[in-house]
Amino acid sequence: MNKFLRKIVAFTKALPIVIKLHTYLKNVRIRKIVDVLFIPIGLISYVASKKITKNEKMINEIDICVIVKNEARYIKEWIEYHRLIGIKNFYIFDNDSNDNLKETLAPYIERGFVYYKAIHGHVRQLDAYNLSLRIAKKKKHYLLALDADEFIFMPNPNDKFIDIVNDIFINNDNVGGIVFNWVIFGSSGYEKMQDKLVTQTYFHRSQFNFKFNQHVKTLVNPQKTISFVNPHFACYKNGFYAVNLNNIKVDGPYSKTIDNPKVRINHYFTKSKEEFMAKRARGMADNNNIRDIKDYEKHNRNEVFDDSMRRYAEKM
């Protein structure tokens, strides 16, 4: 797909009417046909879009969005940890959970830093991200799209996430997004779920150069972003693009791994085998498929002992 057509598709995915129709259209194939029918409107949006000022000032905050299904057991740890590293607001989309997720989140919703929205049907991940993008754009906050088994981590305890992000954006006005590589954590030999926090249980991970660690997740400046077109990356307005931590331009869901990066995503992909099987049964947020059981063996990497998350144990 050429760049022009990709931008038209991105504008189409961001249309409120398209996102709303996805709620009512259960058949994913029909949704795709409807999306194609709205491409002319996407083209109009592209033509009508205003060119923003490159130096438009952002408020010094990062928001995180996530779509979850039956992850109430894990969500409090995920929120509390990210609050410790400076995240102030969370957009949590509940994709037909039946594990009392909303009740678990109630104290956070009442305190005003969790925005909760039920989102129904299959393959709604991009809709959740693009709804979040609209909210963050109005606030002039940066937006990071993560999963509930992904934790942003800085190996240096003196580093601040917001400072690293600001340095990259300030030094290059054309940067619209920053990508961070996965670091896959394995099961640490556990077959069964443990009655402990995820970050304080799984201390074995892959080498940095493990092939699946080339996957990235993206933090965007919403003022420079059209929409998320993939769970791993966004499409940007003319003149803007994403970079990795080495300021190398990245276009897509992969970026060459960096040894001991200043920021990484600790991805607890498998947890215990029991938890992986439960994850598999939930299905996937970005397509209708069920994970292959072989994914467990592919991602269950435990070569490196890494207990650096212990430093947060008492605070969580």
Side-chain angles (χ1 to χ4, degrees), residues 60 62 85 142 154 158-171 178 262-263:
N60 205 35
I62 298 169
I85 65 166
Y142 299 119
M154 280 75 63
N158 296 317
D159 281 341
K160 293 185 178 180
F161 188 36
I162 186 64
D163 291 343
I164 294 170
V165 167
N166 278 334
D167 284 348
I168 293 173
F169 280 117
I170 289 169
N171 288 330
I178 306 167
K262 292 182 71 174
V263 181

Side-chain angles (χ1 to χ4, degrees), residues 119 155 200 239 256 294:
I119 189 165
Q200 305 307 311
K256 186 178 179 180
K294 293 179 181 177

Side-chain angles (χ1 to χ4, degrees), residues 64-66 71 74 77-79 81-82 85 125 129 144-153 180-184 198-199 215-218 231-232 264-269 271 279 291 309:
I64 293 183
C65 64
V66 64
E71 301 207 55
Y74 306 108
E77 175 187 5
W78 185 83
I79 292 171
Y81 169 78
H82 284 102
I85 65 166
Q125 190 166 17
Y129 288 2
L144 171 64
L146 285 183
D147 291 339
D149 59 358
E150 297 172 336
F151 292 72
I152 285 286
F153 179 69
F180 308 103
N181 287 88
W182 281 353
V183 175
I184 295 287
V198 170
T199 57
H215 281 88
V216 298
K217 284 300 185 69
T218 302
H232 298 271
R264 71 193 199 205
I265 296 175
N266 286 359
H267 190 184
Y268 299 91
F269 186 95
K271 304 186 185 77
K279 172 180 179 175
R291 292 187 185 279
M309 288 289 262

Side-chain angles (χ1 to χ4, degrees), residues 184-214:
I184 295 287
F185 277 68
S187 68
S188 288
Y190 291 112
E191 290 284 321
K192 298 291 185 180
M193 181 188 300
Q194 303 298 298
D195 190 23
K196 295 184 291 186
L197 297 176
V198 170
T199 57
Q200 305 307 311
T201 301
Y202 302 101
F203 293 137
H204 293 81
R205 62 165 173 83
S206 57
Q207 301 278 359
F208 289 123
N209 63 358
F210 175 50
K211 63 179 180 179
F212 290 139
N213 290 338
Q214 294 182 68

